[in-house]
């Protein structure tokens, strides 16, 4: 994915260029979880990651 250097992450509001590798993974996981919550019938393969 080619994002501009000034593009901000919708999750943490930091610029993507400021993301650490860990922050990038966290924001992707949150994005997947939000998508799963709004998409009926969509099941997250890594669901145990999200459960307490």
């Amino acid at each position: 994915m080619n994002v501009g250097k000034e593009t901000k992450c919708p999750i943490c509001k930091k610029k993507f260029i400021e993301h650490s590798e860990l922050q990038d993974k966290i924001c992707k996981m949150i994005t997947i979880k939000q998508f799963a919550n709004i998409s009926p019938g969509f099941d997250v393969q890594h669901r145990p990651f999200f459960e307490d």
Side-chain angles (χ1 to χ4, degrees), residues 3-9 12-24 27:
V3 292
K5 291 183 178 175
E6 297 301 312
T7 306
K8 291 188 179 179
C9 175
C12 67
K13 306 300 183 208
K14 286 185 181 177
K15 293 176 184 166
F16 283 114
I17 198 166
E18 297 170 356
H19 263 201
S20 64
E21 193 173 326
L22 179 62
Q23 185 68 51
D24 199 38
C27 290

Side-chain angles (χ1 to χ4, degrees), residues 15-42:
K15 293 176 184 166
F16 283 114
I17 198 166
E18 297 170 356
H19 263 201
S20 64
E21 193 173 326
L22 179 62
Q23 185 68 51
D24 199 38
K25 288 180 181 178
I26 291 169
C27 290
K28 283 180 181 174
M29 288 292 183
I30 293 170
T31 302
I32 291 167
K33 182 173 176 156
Q34 287 177 342
F35 175 76
N37 287 341
I38 61 169
S39 302
F42 179 83

